[in-house]
Amino acid sequence: MATKGEKLAAADLKTQIIGLVGVQELDTEIYTLNNEKQAKPLEIKAVEEAFEAKKQNLAALEKKSLDLQKQRKD
């Protein structure tokens, strides 16, 4: 039969394991958030570059439109 001390030690071990699982879950969440934090500047840069390319394309199309309007007037 288990003594009171053995029961207490088993309960304490179970509590520690539960605590460690909780810490591991938090560690996993921190790791995921850090990865996202590092990825965001790269995503922002890619979006800014795409925006800049579209802006330049729009400017070229506007210039072409103006040129075509001038040709029609002539």
Side-chain angles (χ1 to χ4, degrees):
M1 199 172 226
T3 65
K4 185 177 180 182
E6 290 172 343
K7 287 180 183 178
L8 185 59
D12 189 44
L13 182 60
K14 186 175 180 180
T15 303
Q16 288 178 357
I17 290 173
I18 291 170
L20 287 174
V21 168
V23 169
Q24 188 175 23
E25 289 171 354
L26 289 174
D27 188 51
T28 301
E29 186 176 349
I30 290 169
Y31 179 79
T32 301
L33 291 172
N34 279 331
N35 284 343
E36 288 178 17
K37 180 182 172 185
Q38 290 175 354
K40 292 300 177 187
L42 299 175
E43 290 176 24
I44 290 169
K45 184 176 179 181
V47 169
E48 286 174 345
E49 288 173 355
F51 175 75
E52 193 62 36
K54 289 182 188 282
K55 193 165 78 169
Q56 289 174 358
N57 187 38
L58 176 62
L61 290 172
E62 287 175 341
K63 183 181 182 317
K64 186 176 180 180
S65 174
L66 288 174
D67 290 344
L68 288 172
Q69 286 177 3
K70 287 179 186 177
Q71 285 180 358
R72 278 191 235 138
K73 286 181 183 179
D74 291 341

